[in-house]
Amino acid sequence: MRNLIKIAFLFFISITFAQNDTTNVYKKRVLESTEVDFLMSYYKQDGNNASVTGGVGTEELTDLTPTIVVSYPLNDDDVLTFDVGISAYTSASSSNLNPFDSSGASTGEDGRTEGSPWVASSGASQSDTWVGAKAGYSHSSDDRNFIWGGHLSFSTEYDYTSIGFGGSVAKLFNQKNTELNIGAQVYLDTWNPEYPTELDTYIEAGGDLNILFFYNTDILDQDGNAIDKSGNNGPIWSPSNFSLINDKERNSYSVSVSVSQILSKKSQGALFFDLVQQQGWLSNPMQRVYFKDKNNYYIGNPESIPVYTSKENTDVFHLADDIEKLPDTRFKVPIGFRFNYFINEFIILRTYYRYYFDDWGVNSHTANIEVPIKISDKFTLYPSFRYYTQTAADYFAPYNENLSTDTYYTSDYDLSKFNANQYGFGVSYTDIFTKAHLWNFGIKNIDLKFHQYDRSNGLSAWIISGAIKFVVQ
């Protein structure tokens, strides 16, 4: 009798819930519990084509970037994500915004430090910290075939501030074998422009080379002779193209579309493209430009002028003719595909290709291959290789090769023609059951990766990055 009563009670309860909920009896949560990701990377580079010093000089830079990402489930369908990070860097090239404040260079007879594009300055721009934060929200439909979301972001550093917002929708078809994603983003950025010290002071002094920064300082011609700074006995240094920035805004608008498809039991592919429109001040006010149709003028040791473009030069600096100037609009289109293939239970092939073009004349190709190798139920190795090649922008010329008669010009080697190879290797630990714990946090995943990057123009860099994912229990 007692068993019959239990059966009747359970039957009554099931009927009651069925009447109250005519949809699914059970719905899996999008995110079961709060997840916390800690990420950290250390980046180091060096090269010989610093854009701050007009396409010649040290590109030595280090960057440490810790980040934390928290994903919090509000209910079965909704997830909030918070992403906060900082980037603390030191840059030898950026420090040479004022190369005459240099602890590593020698000091002239007049007491002024004699700068060089090959010696890091100790000025305020030598190091800085970028800080960024992002908040996102996503909602999934009951059948998990429709997902929409939005985000807000903010970032700042000493000469730049950015506010961003955007949204996306995803629709799954064909029993979740096909997925369409559409997204849009807007970034509203503002410069707090910093200029090369000699150009900034030239404007402040009203072109008078005998006061402020230039007081009691010899300006040398190409032959190393001190000029008459009053202009009574010949030409003088006069950066007539230079002016301060009036439009300090930079706005970016983008739309992205991707379609992914499960092609078979072992393969999956995806196609994607983006449309990006930028407008405003798209140049970098820190980057010097030198004109080959203008006379060259220097401050420092005249004996080092003949070796200016080599590391032998530690005590003479070429006074800039202008800062980088580029069009106030740019339209960019990347388009590409991904293809992944399950070879066997131990090896997966992941491939990626992207073609890019813009209306500044840059065209590029990117090809990437990664082969995850599962060596146990918890550990996977990630060898990878990436190849990149691009054409030069229409406005690029090397150090001292631009023309003052041109409307736009730059010596930023990121806009030059080059090829690049990147080699990578990583290892990942995964435990979906989070058996390992740290206080109330279950360890779900640990990643460690190393990449080496080499350009054909001499830039070399490496980065080591790590990440650990916790599940709050």
Side-chain angles (χ1 to χ4, degrees):
M1 176 65 69
R2 183 176 298 174
N3 289 335
L4 289 175
I5 292 174
K6 288 182 178 178
I7 293 172
F9 177 78
L10 292 173
F11 179 76
F12 173 76
I13 292 296
S14 65
I15 291 296
T16 301
F17 276 96
Q19 291 173 343
N20 291 335
D21 182 9
T22 58
T23 58
N24 297 326
V25 176
Y26 172 76
K27 178 171 64 175
K28 182 176 175 62
R29 293 169 65 90
V30 174
L31 185 66
E32 293 295 334
S33 58
T34 301
E35 295 184 347
V36 181
D37 289 271
F38 291 98
L39 304 94
M40 178 78 75
S41 67
Y42 180 78
Y43 172 85
K44 185 177 179 61
Q45 74 169 41
D46 201 0
N48 304 318
N49 303 116
S51 54
V52 173
T53 45
V56 62
T58 177
E59 294 180 88
E60 186 177 357
L61 180 146
T62 62
D63 186 19
L64 181 66
T65 309
T67 304
I68 182 171
V69 181
V70 179
S71 300
Y72 177 75
L74 298 173
N75 49 49
D76 288 353
D77 306 319
D78 304 303
V79 177
L80 275 179
T81 303
F82 300 96
D83 183 335
V84 178
I86 64 173
S87 174
Y89 68 86
T90 61
S91 172
S93 61
S94 294
S95 73
N96 280 322
L97 191 66
N98 180 6
F100 307 102
D101 182 9
S102 179
S103 59
S106 60
T107 302
E109 295 179 357
D110 57 5
R112 178 182 295 282
T113 301
E114 296 173 344
S116 163
W118 303 99
V119 178
S121 165
S122 56
S125 57
Q126 180 186 28
S127 61
D128 189 36
T129 301
W130 172 94
V131 179
K134 181 178 179 180
Y137 167 82
S138 67
H139 173 81
S140 299
S141 62
D142 287 336
D143 61 7
R144 303 299 185 250
N145 287 330
F146 184 76
I147 305 164
W148 66 268
H151 70 266
L152 293 171
S153 65
F154 174 82
S155 64
T156 184
E157 52 188 315
Y158 81 104
D159 66 338
Y160 203 75
T161 300
S162 177
I163 297 173
F165 56 91
S168 64
V169 295
K171 178 65 177 177
L172 283 74
F173 306 91
N174 189 25
Q175 296 182 331
K176 302 186 188 298
N177 289 322
T178 306
E179 182 175 343
L180 171 66
N181 284 273
I182 302 174
Q185 296 188 92
V186 176
Y187 289 97
L188 307 176
D189 306 339
T190 303
W191 286 99
N192 178 25
E194 299 284 338
Y195 305 98
T197 188
E198 69 270 32
L199 296 175
D200 194 19
T201 310
Y202 182 85
I203 295 294
E204 185 181 357
D208 189 342
L209 302 182
N210 292 291
I211 63 173
L212 300 178
F213 169 82
F214 309 103
Y215 175 73
N216 199 29
T217 300
D218 286 339
I219 295 180
L220 311 174
D221 63 18
Q222 184 64 48
D223 297 323
N225 301 315
I227 66 169
D228 177 357
K229 294 190 293 182
S230 298
N232 297 321
N233 296 310
I236 60 173
W237 174 65
S238 177
S240 56
N241 286 35
F242 175 69
S243 61
L244 300 179
I245 298 172
N246 292 319
D247 180 10
K248 299 178 182 179
E249 309 300 317
R250 171 188 287 193
N251 300 330
S252 301
Y253 312 92
S254 66
V255 175
S256 59
V257 178
S258 67
V259 179
S260 61
Q261 175 68 46
I262 296 176
L263 303 173
S264 69
K265 292 182 178 180
K266 291 188 174 183
S267 61
Q268 185 262 352
L271 298 173
F272 63 88
F273 73 88
D274 297 295
L275 303 175
V276 182
Q277 178 68 44
Q278 293 182 294
Q279 63 183 42
W281 187 263
L282 305 185
S283 311
N284 188 331
M286 296 176 62
Q287 297 181 177
R288 291 174 173 86
V289 169
Y290 298 96
F291 299 133
K292 70 177 181 179
D293 57 339
K294 294 285 188 178
N295 293 330
N296 298 330
Y297 295 97
Y298 305 83
I299 288 178
N301 180 11
E303 295 182 0
S304 295
I305 293 176
V307 294
Y308 184 82
T309 59
S310 76
K311 294 182 179 180
E312 297 177 47
N313 166 30
T314 62
D315 51 12
V316 70
F317 195 86
H318 190 174
L319 298 178
D321 291 318
D322 199 4
I323 58 172
E324 172 186 75
K325 288 184 179 176
L326 295 168
D328 59 4
T329 62
R330 189 179 188 183
F331 183 65
K332 304 189 286 187
V333 181
I335 182 170
F337 68 85
R338 293 183 178 89
F339 177 77
N340 301 332
Y341 187 78
F342 180 84
I343 297 175
N344 55 46
E345 59 181 316
F346 302 106
I347 301 175
I348 298 174
L349 177 67
R350 295 176 178 170
T351 63
Y352 168 92
Y353 170 78
R354 188 192 77 161
Y355 172 68
Y356 165 93
F357 66 92
D358 63 33
D359 56 0
W360 286 8
V362 177
N363 294 267
S364 72
H365 301 270
T366 306
N368 188 85
I369 183 170
E370 183 180 64
V371 186
I373 303 171
K374 193 173 183 64
I375 58 175
S376 73
D377 61 339
K378 290 184 172 62
F379 288 93
T380 304
L381 305 179
Y382 290 89
S384 64
F385 174 73
R386 177 179 180 269
Y387 176 76
Y388 177 84
T389 182
Q390 76 170 38
T391 61
D394 297 335
Y395 320 111
F396 172 81
Y399 164 73
N400 220 22
E401 290 295 324
N402 283 285
L403 295 175
S404 63
T405 54
D406 290 338
T407 304
Y408 305 115
Y409 32 76
T410 180
S411 291
D412 183 350
Y413 271 72
D414 287 345
L415 295 174
S416 70
K417 178 182 178 180
F418 67 87
N419 306 321
N421 296 313
Q422 179 177 287
Y423 308 88
F425 186 80
V427 59
S428 177
Y429 166 86
T430 303
D431 181 7
I432 60 174
F433 300 107
T434 62
K435 294 180 179 179
H437 288 77
L438 187 63
W439 296 294
N440 292 326
F441 297 88
I443 300 176
K444 184 176 182 179
N445 185 263
I446 301 175
D447 287 303
L448 184 64
K449 292 185 178 182
F450 174 85
H451 291 93
Q452 174 68 40
Y453 176 81
D454 297 295
R455 277 189 189 177
S456 57
N457 58 27
L459 179 69
S460 181
W462 58 266
I463 183 172
I464 185 168
S465 57
I468 181 168
K469 181 188 290 291
F470 294 100
V471 176
V472 180
Q473 297 178 330

